[in-house]
């Protein structure tokens, strides 16, 4: 039997009573016409999900589609600065969605100035500035609409939504603490932990008291002004990038390397472009303290970990982007018997199943998994199908594409050059690379020195592609299509024989023909060369 494309057997169908079949991709599953009762009749729900983010909601909805009775518990503890939000998790409220909207606002601001070179008559360019209050209001209004639609969707699907902080009482019992302090108990045959994570604050004076995080920046009541961003991961660089482009000077403290875990050559391209646009970087620096001055500004002090030199400056806002921690400490996992936790508090579950067979985890709470919304969604859906449709397909965490929405975006899929060399050896890896000239950068003449891409492949024919990396306009849109090709095992021969769409930046992948090993100049002779 093909385990990746499985049909419910007779016993499985009998378990759910009268069913009607429905296709999901290559998996044939069954939909219950009447909500089933748990086999032993002792549980309130077939599935309880702790956490109302992307992964948990996707799992809950898929489970209901398969006839399960489902409850979702979700509660947002306010940030140290008091910020809270509605149903939908990090992505919708304080992550991907507001980040992309602010990134778009920054791009539009740059476009207004460039429009003059294209013949648009824009009066008084010097007076053009962002209205922070109007921007945040628009962003928050969109988020609230998504919160509402999400709640309505749960109601329509007959998923019980409980606005409570869930924790285990025993392996099958969850206690939900409501906003007013009262509690509600429920039992479930299966339980999925999807609580995600929250920003980490460094243990320094003033961090908790005076600093904000990505939990706060998208609804900040006052313009951020001159901002210090502590941390150079993708959240830190994205925030510094759009703030600077919106007209709020940004400085970044880099503890070790920017975009740790990403291809470091591409990371340097990203930070080089940000520096060209005015973002200041202090490398090998960690914060020492943040002090609030009488005028309300913040004096931050930091030290260089290599030289020992200390420095300080005054800012209007200090944003901490020093990583995230999993929200597992409040779950009382010991009562459920879940013991597979990493040092960081994340759950170790190879196939989303913990050491307790009926307790699962999806999303950012998992150790060693990409902290990306689409990953959580797909894993949640596949998990629901395994629980309630006898499916067997597991989540494939390899070759997951992602994009860093910095001023010049960075999109990638597959292995970085460093990891490829480590796994396969220098003699077995070939790297094709090129600089390119986006047509949209011709008028006006924009900096193109950081527009760069590369393909990391096996050297031996037909040269299977191990990773694709792209720094340039709309990198997310570019890399998404190529991600499917990498997933299907595309080779350099196939890539080179693909006819590109001209003039686009995506076609540059089809024009790659110079290897690093050759030592040839990777700069193009013209836009059509």
């Amino acid at each position: 039997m093909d385990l990746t494309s499985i049909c419910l057997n007779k016993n499985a169908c009998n378990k759910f009573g009268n069913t009607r079949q429905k296709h999901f991709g290559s998996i044939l599953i069954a939909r219950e016409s009447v909500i089933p009762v748990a086999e032993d009749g002792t549980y309130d729900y077939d599935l309880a999900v702790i956490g109302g983010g992307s992964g948990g909601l996707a799992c809950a909805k898929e489970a209901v589609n398969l006839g399960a009775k489902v409850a979702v518990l979700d509660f947002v503890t306010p940030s140290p600065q008091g910020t809270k939000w509605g149903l939908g998790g990090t992505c919708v409220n304080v992550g991907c969605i507001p980040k992309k909207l602010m990134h778009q606002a920054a791009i539009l601001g740059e476009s207004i100035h460039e429009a003059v070179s294209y013949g648009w008559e824009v009066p008084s360019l010097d007076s053009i500035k962002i209205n922070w209050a109007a921007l945040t209001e628009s962003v928050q209004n969109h988020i609230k609409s998504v919160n509402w639609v999400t709640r309505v969707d749960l109601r329509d699907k007959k998923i019980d939504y409980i606005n409570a902080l869930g924790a285990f009482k025993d392996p099958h019992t969850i206690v939900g603490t409501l906003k007013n302090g009262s509690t509600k108990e429920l039992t479930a045959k299966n339980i999925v932990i999807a609580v995600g994570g929250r920003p980490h604050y460094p243990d320094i004076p003033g961090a908790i008291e005076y600093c904000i995080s990505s939990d706060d920046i998208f609804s900040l009541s006052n313009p951020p002004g001159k901002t210090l961003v502590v941390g150079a991961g993708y959240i830190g660089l994205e925030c510094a990038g759009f703030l600077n482009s919106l007209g709020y000077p940004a400085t970044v403290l880099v503890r070790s390397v920017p975009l740790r875990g990403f291809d470091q050559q591409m990371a340097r391209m990203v930070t080089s472009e940000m520096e060209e646009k005015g973002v200041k970087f202090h490398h090998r620096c960690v914060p020492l303290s943040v002090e609030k001055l009488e005028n309300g500004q913040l004096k931050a002090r930091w030290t260089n970990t290599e030289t020992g030199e200390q420095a300080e400056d005054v800012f209007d806002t200090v944003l901490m982007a020093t990583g995230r921690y999993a929200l597992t400490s409040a779950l009382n996992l010991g009562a459920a018997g879940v013991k597979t936790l990493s040092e960081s508090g994340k759950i170790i579950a190879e196939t989303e199943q913990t050491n307790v067979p009926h307790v699962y985890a999806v999303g950012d709470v998992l150790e060693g998994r990409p902290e990306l919304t689409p990953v959580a969604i797909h894993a949640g859906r596949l998990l629901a199908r395994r629980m309630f449709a006898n499916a067997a397909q597991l989540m494939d965490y390899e070759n997951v594409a992602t994009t860093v929405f910095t001023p010049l975006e960075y999109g990638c899929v597959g292995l970085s050059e460093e990891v490829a060399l480590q796994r396969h050896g220098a003699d077995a890896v070939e790297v094709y690379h090129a600089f390119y000239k986006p047509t949209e950068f011709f008028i006006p003449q924009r900096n193109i020195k950081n527009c760069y891409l590369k393909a990391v492949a096996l050297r031996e024919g037909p040269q299977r592609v191990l990773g694709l990396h792209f720094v340039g306009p709309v990198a997310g849109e570019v890399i998404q299509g190529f991600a499917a090709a990498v997933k299907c095992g595309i080779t350099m021969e196939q890539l080179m024989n693909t006819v590109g769409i001209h003039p686009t930046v995506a076609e540059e992948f089809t024009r790659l023909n110079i290897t690093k090993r050759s030592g040839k100049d990777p700069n193009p002779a013209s836009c059509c060369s």
Side-chain angles (χ1 to χ4, degrees), residues 197-244:
R198 295 291 287 273
H200 168 266
Y201 281 77
D203 186 17
I204 61 170
I208 296 290
E209 298 88 343
Y210 308 127
C211 300
I212 67 169
S213 71
S214 56
D215 281 354
D216 311 292
I217 187 63
F218 305 110
S219 58
L220 202 61
S221 57
N222 298 314
K226 180 182 176 182
T227 302
L228 174 67
V229 177
V230 181
Y234 73 93
I235 294 175
L237 293 191
E238 287 176 337
C239 289
F242 70 67
L243 286 175
N244 187 76

Side-chain angles (χ1 to χ4, degrees), residues 1-2 98 105 200 212 236 244 264 319 326 328 393 411 440 457 485 497 518:
M1 180 181 293
D2 180 4
H200 168 266
I212 67 169
N244 187 76
Q264 282 303 292
L319 190 155
T328 53
Q393 184 179 351
E440 49 268 55
N497 284 320
S518 72

Side-chain angles (χ1 to χ4, degrees), residues 14-25:
N14 288 339
K15 173 183 173 181
F16 283 96
N18 296 324
T19 63
R20 57 181 182 268
Q21 294 179 335
K22 183 177 181 182
H23 285 280
F24 286 81

Side-chain angles (χ1 to χ4, degrees), residues 46 152 176 306 408 487:
D46 301 304
V152 170
E306 291 184 339
L408 198 57
K487 198 78 172 176

Side-chain angles (χ1 to χ4, degrees), residues 411-438:
C412 62
V413 60
L415 302 184
S416 66
E417 184 175 347
E418 293 92 343
V419 172
L421 293 174
Q422 181 182 15
R423 288 189 186 180
H424 300 280
D427 292 336
V429 173
E430 197 75 271
V431 179
Y432 291 81
H433 69 146
F435 290 91
Y436 64 97
K437 300 176 182 178

